[in-house]
Amino acid sequence: MTLNLEKYDQSILGANTPDPLRFAFAQKHAAHAGGGSRPVAADKMSPTFQQLMSQQESTKQKRCLYVHIPFCRVRCTFCNFFQNAASRQLVDSYFAALMAEIELKAAQPWTQNGVFHAVYVGGGTPTDLSPKQVEQLGTMLRSRFPLAADCEITLEGRINRFSDEMYQSTLKGGFNRFSFGVQSFDTLVRRSAKRLDDREQVLSRISELAGYDEAPIIVDLLYGLPHQTEQVLQQDLQDFISTGAHGLDLYQLVVGGSAPMLNLVEKGRLPAPATTAEKASMYQLGVEFMQAHHLKQLSVNHWATDNRERSLYNSLAKTYAEVLPIGCGAGGSIGGYGLMQERQLDSYLEAMRQQRVPLMLMTKQHRLEPIFSALKSGFDRGVLQACQLADFAGIDTFEYLRPLFEVWQQKGLIELNGQSLVLTLAGSFWAVTLAQACIQVLSSEYQQQQQQIYDIAL
């Protein structure tokens, strides 16, 4: 069985262009690649989940824990995930329910039969919790879940109001990694994105936290924001280096849905964000900056200044690792099922009052999900190896996809080296698009095979 590429267009194959970095594809449509899945009927979700949680067999499957804090003090203009405005009363009510869910999930046989290698508390803005609550949350997670001895426990948040009291409370709670959504140090860019502190305040606080040297401090930057020229991005990167922070996430701005930025641009209140070609140039600037400063590249968009920063959750969550979701709006995957918890706060709180799992959606993952996960992981890392991929319908997946890989090599997106694929600079910029293309091809070919089997059976 060989792969016939004639039925695929430029959205899969890429364009014939002398500049693949900027023009290989039209644009990036999503932050992450994904495979097909089918929804589980509403009346089947709870019993299916309970069956998964009742498994008592010990397993060595990699596991992560994701905890969601669905509050923000203000909504960033680029954000399409805003859920709830923070208020002390709402946060306190939610925190009590969250503690109840932790107790509920931690008591399940499945939870106790394996080790969790990474914990990520995200949002929203987890630092909208009080210092006491953050300490209590960390203590609860460490005492209730079987965590690996070197478990990475990350708290995401904003620099705004991240006091020394908060920092010390997080350390007491056992958090050992911090990820701050700076987006840009530039004051004008920050104001246009509805970030609260100016450049000097952010620089000073990041530098202070990094200087304590008690845990890795990670800075998240976006490129492509309104007012953010290449010169501004260059200064953002210089500012990051000056803080002494231990790691950097450099993400492409992808705006969609109901993000306020779209309306503000339409009304002329904000300049348009960068085009895809402009963002490609910014990515190149970022990669070359990291190389010039000898930072260690952990993925196509993450770098570390020293060996303490591992970005473990980010890498594991994109592989075969199972992710147990906790909290309103949290998502995860267990035993071949995708999970999404109640996104409406009232619905979540009511579910916890009734002491039932707050599931909003459950999906049965595609039968090829193990291959899809390995593809996503490899492209995110920048290197895909044949040995990482399970067979596709009894055939070596890497060899089956080789005709597609050879097309991409001709177009300057990858380099083939025996049983390995290495992304070029252009391929790294389009990594999510390439992973998604592989997933679409395999999904299409698998569906065609199943149809043929069905036709023969008739």
Side-chain angles (χ1 to χ4, degrees):
M1 184 173 64
T2 58
L3 177 60
N4 180 8
L5 296 178
E6 292 183 0
K7 59 183 176 181
Y8 296 107
D9 60 18
Q10 287 187 358
S11 67
I12 299 294
L13 303 177
N16 292 311
T17 171
D19 190 354
L21 171 64
R22 294 164 184 81
F23 303 113
F25 299 93
Q27 64 181 27
K28 180 179 179 180
H29 294 283
H32 308 287
S37 59
R38 53 184 176 82
V40 174
D43 62 335
K44 301 292 185 183
M45 290 196 302
S46 182
T48 301
F49 183 78
Q50 291 303 327
Q51 184 178 5
L52 292 171
M53 289 289 98
S54 297
Q55 298 176 26
Q56 300 189 30
E57 298 81 7
S58 179
T59 175
K60 293 185 178 181
Q61 175 93 23
K62 294 287 187 182
R63 291 181 175 185
C64 299
L65 182 63
Y66 177 74
V67 182
H68 194 69
I69 309 298
F71 298 99
C72 291
R73 197 167 300 125
V74 297
R75 181 178 184 177
C76 299
T77 58
F78 56 82
C79 181
N80 192 36
F81 304 103
F82 181 83
Q83 289 178 265
N84 306 283
S87 73
R88 192 74 266 151
Q89 182 178 357
L90 268 182
V91 172
D92 289 348
S93 297
Y94 177 73
F95 189 75
L98 187 69
M99 293 297 100
E101 187 186 357
I102 288 174
E103 295 280 17
L104 178 66
K105 295 274 181 72
Q108 303 304 313
W110 177 89
T111 304
Q112 298 298 323
N113 72 15
V115 176
F116 291 83
H117 290 82
V119 177
Y120 196 95
V121 179
T125 310
T127 49
D128 276 348
L129 298 176
S130 70
K132 181 179 178 181
Q133 287 170 334
V134 169
E135 180 180 349
Q136 184 180 345
L137 173 59
T139 301
M140 180 74 82
L141 295 174
R142 288 190 299 115
S143 65
R144 298 300 191 270
F145 292 91
L147 305 184
D150 65 342
C151 184
E152 175 190 274
I153 310 175
T154 301
L155 182 74
E156 182 183 74
R158 294 177 188 248
I159 283 298
N160 182 258
R161 299 187 188 178
F162 192 81
S163 64
D164 279 347
E165 180 188 7
M166 173 67 83
Y167 183 57
Q168 292 304 320
S169 293
T170 58
L171 294 176
K172 289 178 184 177
F175 289 95
N176 55 26
R177 183 176 183 269
F178 298 86
S179 179
F180 292 105
V182 173
Q183 319 312 351
S184 173
F185 289 97
D186 185 88
T187 299
L188 176 60
V189 176
R190 292 179 57 78
R191 291 285 184 266
S192 72
K194 278 289 184 76
R195 308 303 282 182
L196 297 171
D197 297 317
D198 62 24
R199 174 175 178 269
E200 287 69 27
Q201 291 171 306
V202 179
L203 271 173
S204 175
R205 190 58 179 145
I206 292 287
S207 299
E208 287 176 353
L209 294 171
Y212 294 148
D213 207 24
E214 295 188 75
I217 304 298
I218 314 305
V219 170
D220 281 0
L221 292 181
L222 285 174
Y223 60 94
L225 289 160
H227 298 296
Q228 189 186 36
T229 62
E230 287 190 29
Q231 290 72 29
V232 170
L233 177 60
Q234 179 78 28
Q235 186 60 56
D236 281 339
L237 297 170
Q238 292 284 2
D239 286 345
F240 157 71
I241 291 292
S242 74
T243 65
H246 306 90
L248 175 73
D249 286 313
L250 186 61
Y251 293 124
Q252 177 182 168
L253 175 69
V254 179
V255 185
S258 60
M261 182 178 289
L262 299 173
N263 184 258
L264 292 171
V265 170
E266 184 178 348
K267 291 181 176 180
R269 295 170 60 187
L270 272 183
T275 65
T276 295
E278 290 168 339
K279 286 187 284 190
S281 296
M282 289 181 168
Y283 180 75
Q284 181 176 10
L285 185 158
V287 171
E288 291 176 351
F289 181 94
M290 304 305 168
Q291 292 172 343
H293 287 78
H294 308 290
L295 271 68
K296 181 180 180 181
Q297 188 165 7
L298 302 180
S299 76
V300 295
N301 52 27
H302 190 90
W303 288 263
T305 61
D306 63 24
N307 290 331
R308 296 171 68 194
E309 163 54 357
R310 297 176 294 163
S311 191
L312 194 58
Y313 178 87
N314 289 328
S315 62
L316 287 178
K318 294 172 183 174
T319 63
Y320 298 113
E322 295 179 301
V323 179
L324 178 64
I326 294 179
C328 177
S333 61
I334 296 174
Y337 289 88
L339 309 169
M340 175 55 69
Q341 303 220 131
E342 292 284 1
R343 292 185 60 83
Q344 297 299 318
L345 186 58
D346 288 345
S347 299
Y348 173 82
L349 294 176
E350 180 60 28
M352 296 318 305
R353 278 192 288 269
Q354 297 178 13
Q355 294 187 309
R356 59 179 175 82
V357 178
L359 276 178
M360 179 186 78
L361 178 68
M362 175 182 275
T363 59
K364 177 63 177 172
Q365 294 175 331
H366 198 287
R367 291 187 63 179
L368 301 180
E369 181 58 32
I371 299 177
F372 296 165
S373 295
L375 286 165
K376 288 183 284 187
S377 173
F379 279 100
D380 181 70
R381 193 163 58 95
V383 179
L384 180 67
Q385 297 172 292
C387 61
Q388 295 174 320
L389 301 173
D391 286 351
F392 169 66
I395 301 173
D396 183 305
T397 302
F398 194 92
E399 289 305 314
Y400 183 73
L401 290 172
R402 188 178 286 275
L404 177 60
F405 296 159
E406 289 174 345
V407 169
W408 286 345
Q409 180 170 243
Q410 293 169 5
K411 295 182 177 181
L413 294 165
I414 69 164
E415 293 178 359
L416 286 170
N417 183 9
Q419 295 297 295
S420 298
L421 172 159
V422 180
L423 298 182
T424 63
L425 174 67
S428 295
F429 178 71
W430 294 108
V432 171
T433 303
L434 297 180
Q436 190 64 56
C438 289
I439 290 171
Q440 287 181 229
V441 167
L442 292 178
S443 297
S444 176
E445 298 298 316
Y446 178 80
Q447 184 177 7
Q448 181 177 324
Q449 290 177 21
Q450 295 303 301
Q451 185 62 51
Q452 289 173 349
I453 293 172
Y454 178 76
D455 292 342
I456 291 172
L458 291 179

